[in-house]
Every structure is written in structure tokens, then in C-alpha cells.
Amino acid sequence: MKPAVLTGEHFLTGDSACAEGALAAGCRFFAGYPITPATEIAEHMSKRLPEVGGVFIQMEDEMAAMAAVLGASCAGAKGMTATSGPGFSLMMENLGLGIAMETPCVVVNVQRAGPSTGLPTLGAQGDMMQARWGSHGHYEIIALAPASPQEIFFQTITAFNLSETYRLPVLIMADEVVGHLSERVLIPDPSKIRLESRPRPKGRKDRFRPFHPGANGVAPMANAGEGYMVHFTGLTHDERGYPVMTAEAHTEMVSRITGKIRANLDKIIQVEEYRLEDADVALISYGISSRSSYSAVDEARARGIKAGLLRLITVWPFPEEKIRELAGRVKCLITVELNLGQIHLEVQRCAAGMAPALLVGHAGGTVITPARILEEICGASRQ
Amino acid sequence: MNSSHTQKHPLDGILRTDRIPHIWCPGCGIGTVFSSALIAIQSTGADLTKTAVVSGIGCSGRGAGYVKLDSYHTTHGRALPFATGMKLANPELTVVVFSGDGDLFAIGGNHFIHAARRNMDLTVICVNNLNYGMTGGQAAATTPHMAKTTTTPFGNPEPPFNLPLLAYASGATYIARWTMLHTRDLTQSIEEALARRGFSFIEVLAPCPTGYGRRNKLKPIDFLKIYQEKAIVKNGAHPAEVILDFNQGITIGKFIEYDRPTFSESYERICRPQAS
């Protein structure tokens, strides 16, 4: 029997590294449904969870998988599911329930090219806006974008920590290339892994209000079976969890579930800057596309063009401040992503005309080459 | 001061009294089924802090909102998978699913057959009012052939499901059907279901005078008369032979009870590494 944290050096696919990251984060429940290119995460969890005291279940569809993860989380477990585009669409319904019930969990989307069945075996980054707005109603979400198997390992831990801290589903927006890529993955000693768990209630059980926020805007969470007799609903509810069908109650609830994210942006958002200090041309990229972007920056620098890269580790909430700051000091912004302009729209919005915002992207099916990015950098630097 | 206002109802301890009055219409049968469920839960003597109620969406789905237990009012059709996750994450919990026919058998039909197939250790109480009440009385997967609803103005062209047969074919290990008039049998049935392991399914017929009744010329009392006059108790009846027809008869009783391993029992035996 292997331990939950496989400390040591491994050669893993992104999908397997994601599963190991989940186990290291304390994930003990996985409900899933097979779908290319995310199936390997479920397969890995089906083998590993029983030996660490967890439970794996293959559900009848992705709606059920997402519902089961929420149920498990409400009973106190750290739960996860993993899917790709078509399944991600089906999960939007209960993703909203997780938002409304403020239930921690992690949802992995190993993106393939859509719309619809699309290109099941080929990568894309076309679900980025769906990640932001795919479930109905107004809400905030946290989404991370891993660029390598090593990073997906750590991001899965981060995703669990964020979901527990802020009580919401956290998305890992991977892509087929990262999911299927095999690379070296270093798994640290468990003592070196920082784990967070949901805020817990204190005081009298009969006076507990399950949605009364604490100091950071997040309400402590009582799990089923602990004697708090909580009520959770997807209906608009007050701090007791009771349905209240008024505009005032709705404003209050939506303000709370969006406010707890907006108030903690500095603690949530992570970006990486590469050669940006004196850059004239700033690339903005994430996931697999950021890997091509590093090479393009180095190539451009070798040709005397001052290029740099802002790599988004957190895509949602969007690092608005950072983009504004960049737009104020560079000559051009270029978003590099495997779609026809999604995060590009956010960059344009934040740049607000301070610097031109260009796009290097296509509909998916193959990675963006450094050469294509370099071409755009050279073109932009001649303007 | 009227002393009746200060008297304690026997179910007050398990009701969210601060949420009463409830939303159910006059003449609706859900309240009676709900009472039976609460009486059964209380009478088991089990630790109520270890009992959770999960509902989907619809009139019956509001049940979770009135019970003073850990209670979860989820999305339309998804009560069963939510309850599945809850039970697997904490096997100490007794998980009751209280929902309606539309929720459990139309939008949630796929989840029902799979939860039954797995023999998930859940008690499922389905209030069958033959239509979608919450949205104003549309046709459901249980609406009788030729019955009128707001979406079958010419009569329902479709046949309804036989719920006990569907449950049986799917693998449910306890199957009973009662009407809300048969409260003692119903309560006893829920008690039995709570006390056993495995997927227990109890269908309960209940009037929807506002939706189904209004369009099919049935007043609340007419439903009750039909339940009284047309109900035929046939314990042990094969689910393929049970009928639900307001003219020909309504077979009620406990039809099925047998043991086979639950999902968790099989998982522990087959998937969990055994200590050598």
C-alpha cells in the first residue's frame, strides 16, 4: 500500500499528477464520469483512493458526479471531479449549487477543442469564459491554469486550499496537452505541504447561523452529522439558510458570495512575471500556451526586442490591476491563448486603450508555436 | 392567552417551526406524507444528529426546508446523487431522500435507476401527485394516459411509468406503495426502510387538487374516496402486476424486500486493501 503523499521524484502525466496533488491535498472522495482527455484522472483515483481510506465512485453522468461531490463535501469530505468540455457543460448546473450553498470542492477541466463533441483528443483553451460565466446568475469563481504536470500537482493542492478557505468550487482549467504530457514531477514531504480546511463553527449549536460571514467574509461551515441541524438550499436564502424570496435578500446573498472573493483578491490572485521589467511588448498567456510564450520572449530578446511575459496562474478572478499597470508602461499587449479571443477580451477591457491589445490564438487542435508568437511580437515592435 | 398556541406539537422537535406556515396548498397530500416521514424518523430512536434529509426541486422537494435535521434542498432531479455522495463520505449518516415524482423519475430518472442498481443505502420517499405541482400542473412521467394537464390540454398521449416495476427492474431491495390515506402502513413502511440497509423505495400517492385535480374534475375529497375505495392491499405482489388506475384499482402494499450487498459493502470487500 502506498501512502497518500508519494514523496519523491516521478515521471507523470499531467492527469496523474493532478490526481496525486488531490490526494496530497487530502481529497478523499472522487465522483466522475469517463471523458477524453480527463479519464486518466478518474482511473488514477479509482486505484489510489481505496488505499488511502477514500472512496471513488463512477457516476451515471457528469450532473450526478458534480452533485455527489457536493454531497460528500457537505458531509465533511474534500471532494473532486474531473472532466472535459461536454461534461463541464453538464456540471454547470450543480456548479451553481456549489456557489449558492458555498460548498468547497475542486472541478478539473482538461480542455479539448469544442464546441460540442469537437476534437476529443486534441487540446484547446476554449472554455475559459464558460469557466467564468457558465452557470446561470451572477457569481464569482476561482479558476487556475496549470502549464505543466509539476504545476498541476501544486495547483490541485492550491485549489483545495482556496476552495476550503473561501467555501466555493474551485476550477482547474488544464488542457489536453498538459493533461497528457509526461514530465518530471517532484512531490515534497507531507510536512512541506500547507493544507487549509474550511472555517469551522464555534459556540452554541442551536444559535449557529450557517451563512453568517466571519471576519474575512466567509461563513464557518458545519457538516452533516455534527448536530448543527443546518439547512442548505439553492434558493436565495438568509444567514440561517432559510429561503427568502425578495430582491433585498437576493442582493444581500449575492453581495456576500461575490464579496468574499472581491475582498480577498490579493490573497487569491497569482501571476508570474518573466522578463517584464523593461518590456516594450508584453505577452499575456496561461496553461500550455504560456510554454510557447517563454520561448518566443527569449527569441525576441535575442533579436533585440524587449519582450516579456505575464503568465496567469490564476485566471479568475482576473488580475485586473496587474493588466492595468502593464498597459500603462508597455507599447503593446499580446494575449496568447488556444481560442479565438476570450481572456483577450478581458485584457482589452483592462488595457482600456492605454496600449493596443493584440491576440495570437486559433480555435484549438494544436499548440501555438513560438514562431507564430514571435512573428506577432516582431510585427508589433515595428509599429 | 390561548393556551393552544403554547402547546407543543409532538413533531415540534423535528420541525423548523419558524418556517411554518408551509407553502403546500389546501387539500395537498404532501403534508401528510411528510408527517409520516417525521414520525417514522422520530420513532426509530436513532440519533437525529446523524440523520440527513435531501430533496430535489418541486412541491415535495420543499420538505427538506421544514425538517429540523441536517437538510439539503438541491437541484432538480439531483437529490439522489447528492445523497449518494453524502452517504459515502460519512457512512454513519442515515440519509433520507424526500422528493416528488417529477424530480425523481423525469429529470432525475437516470439517477434513480443507477442508485437502485448500486443498492445505495438510502431511504427514498417519492410523493406521487401525478403531475408537476410547483409549476402549475404540467404532465409528468407519472401522469395517467389521457389525463388533462396544462401541457396535455387534449389528454395525455403518453403512458405513465409503473414506479414499483421500474424500481424493481433497477435493483431496489425494498419497494412499497401506499396512499397518503394509509398513514399507519406508510409510517411503518418508512420505519422499516430506515431500519434496513440498502436502497428502499416508497411511493406514496397524494392529491394535487390545485394542479391535477382541477383539470381532471377531482376535489381533494374525491382523491381520498378513490384511495379508500380503489386501493387493494397486496403485500408481496410482483411489481409487474401492480396497477395504478383510478377506475380499475390501485395496488398498494409492500411488494419487495430482499437483501443483497450495498454499494459500500461491495466497495469495502472488493476495492479496499484488506489487512493481512
Side-chain angles (χ1 to χ4, degrees), chain B residues 19-33:
Chain B
R19 288 218 58 222
I20 306 296
H22 55 68
I23 59 144
W24 296 317
C25 302
C28 169
I30 298 169
T32 311
V33 184

Side-chain angles (χ1 to χ4, degrees), chain A residues 18-29:
Chain A
C18 174
E20 287 301 332
L23 295 170
C27 173
R28 293 296 178 267
F29 182 83

Side-chain angles (χ1 to χ4, degrees), chain A residues 128-129 132-133 138-141 262 265 269 284 312 314-328 333-335 337 341-359:
Chain A
M128 300 310 294
M129 277 295 173
R132 178 65 190 86
W133 296 113
H138 197 104
Y139 58 95
E140 288 288 334
I141 195 81
R262 302 304 303 177
L265 293 178
I269 294 174
I284 292 143
L312 310 183
T314 316
V315 174
W316 305 118
F318 193 67
E320 298 169 341
E321 284 302 321
K322 188 69 215 173
I323 302 292
R324 279 191 203 108
E325 183 262 317
L326 263 185
L333 299 162
I334 303 174
T335 305
E337 58 181 343
Q342 294 191 13
I343 296 305
H344 169 60
L345 296 175
E346 285 291 275
V347 173
Q348 274 187 327
R349 175 176 70 84
C350 296
M354 287 186 282
L358 309 177
L359 167 72

Side-chain angles (χ1 to χ4, degrees), chain A residues 113 123-126 128 283-286 288-290 292-293 333-345 357-377:
Chain A
Q125 295 175 309
M128 300 310 294
L283 302 182
I284 292 143
S285 193
Y286 55 93
I288 191 61
S289 301
S290 67
S292 307
S293 300
L333 299 162
I334 303 174
T335 305
V336 184
E337 58 181 343
L338 264 178
N339 58 52
L340 296 174
Q342 294 191 13
I343 296 305
H344 169 60
L345 296 175
L358 309 177
L359 167 72
V360 176
H362 62 76
T366 180
V367 294
I368 297 167
T369 60
R372 174 70 194 89
I373 305 167
L374 183 64
E375 190 185 323
E376 196 73 13
I377 294 172

Side-chain angles (χ1 to χ4, degrees), chain A residues 67-378:
Chain A
V69 167
L70 294 179
S73 180
C74 284
K78 286 184 179 177
M80 181 170 97
T81 187
T83 189
S84 191
F88 196 56
S89 293
L90 292 180
M91 286 179 184
M92 287 300 125
E93 172 195 58
N94 285 316
L95 181 78
L97 183 67
I99 296 285
M101 283 188 174
E102 303 187 55
T103 302
C105 64
V106 172
V107 179
V108 185
N109 179 356
V110 187
Q111 295 173 86
R112 64 196 222 184
S116 192
T117 313
L119 296 171
T121 61
L122 298 174
Q125 295 175 309
D127 308 345
M128 300 310 294
M129 277 295 173
Q130 185 185 20
R132 178 65 190 86
W133 296 113
S135 198
H136 54 278
H138 197 104
Y139 58 95
E140 288 288 334
I141 195 81
I142 298 176
L144 311 174
S148 67
Q150 178 70 74
E151 189 173 43
I152 202 171
F153 173 86
F154 283 120
Q155 274 195 7
T156 307
I157 297 171
T158 305
F160 273 102
N161 285 346
L162 290 168
S163 79
E164 292 281 322
T165 302
Y166 298 105
R167 281 190 63 182
L168 81 167
V170 171
L171 310 177
I172 298 176
M173 298 301 289
D175 54 74
E176 184 276 333
V177 186
V178 168
H180 284 162
L181 186 64
S182 289
E183 284 184 332
R184 192 173 77 138
V185 176
L186 286 171
I187 299 182
D189 188 82
S191 65
K192 299 283 195 298
I193 299 172
R194 189 179 55 86
L195 297 183
E196 305 284 347
S197 55
R198 58 195 66 177
R200 303 286 288 142
K202 297 184 190 80
R204 282 179 54 171
K205 288 186 178 180
D206 59 339
R207 289 193 184 163
F208 176 61
R209 282 178 294 162
F211 298 95
H212 178 67
N216 66 346
V218 186
M221 180 163 174
N223 304 321
E226 294 180 337
Y228 288 90
M229 308 302 199
V230 293
H231 182 59
F232 281 41
T233 176
L235 285 167
T236 294
H237 47 268
D238 61 18
E239 291 185 351
R240 295 171 300 174
Y242 289 4
V244 183
M245 300 295 101
T246 66
E248 291 76 17
H250 192 65
T251 299
E252 192 178 322
M253 185 190 83
V254 175
S255 301
R256 188 176 74 246
I257 63 176
T258 55
K260 69 184 179 185
I261 304 302
R262 302 304 303 177
N264 293 291
L265 293 178
D266 55 327
K267 298 188 190 76
I268 296 169
I269 294 174
Q270 280 185 286
V271 295
E272 182 183 300
E273 297 186 33
Y274 181 69
R275 305 185 85 166
L276 268 181
E277 314 75 36
D278 60 343
D280 291 328
V281 178
L283 302 182
I284 292 143
S285 193
Y286 55 93
I288 191 61
S289 301
S290 67
R291 308 246 330 231
S292 307
S293 300
Y294 285 109
S295 309
V297 166
D298 291 344
E299 281 287 326
R301 288 270 174 179
R303 295 180 186 199
I305 303 168
K306 288 179 180 173
L309 166 67
L310 181 74
R311 185 170 75 88
L312 310 183
I313 296 169
T314 316
V315 174
W316 305 118
F318 193 67
E320 298 169 341
E321 284 302 321
K322 188 69 215 173
I323 302 292
R324 279 191 203 108
E325 183 262 317
L326 263 185
R329 68 176 162 96
V330 299
K331 290 180 183 151
C332 180
L333 299 162
I334 303 174
T335 305
V336 184
E337 58 181 343
L338 264 178
N339 58 52
L340 296 174
Q342 294 191 13
I343 296 305
H344 169 60
L345 296 175
E346 285 291 275
V347 173
Q348 274 187 327
R349 175 176 70 84
C350 296
M354 287 186 282
L358 309 177
L359 167 72
V360 176
H362 62 76
T366 180
V367 294
I368 297 167
T369 60
R372 174 70 194 89
I373 305 167
L374 183 64
E375 190 185 323
E376 196 73 13
I377 294 172
C378 293

Side-chain angles (χ1 to χ4, degrees), chain B residues 251-270:
Chain B
T251 318
I252 58 171
K254 180 169 84 181
F255 307 135
I256 295 291
E257 185 174 15
Y258 71 100
D259 267 336
R260 67 182 176 92
T262 64
F263 173 89
S264 297
E265 287 164 348
S266 295
Y267 190 81
E268 291 304 316
R269 186 170 55 82
I270 296 163

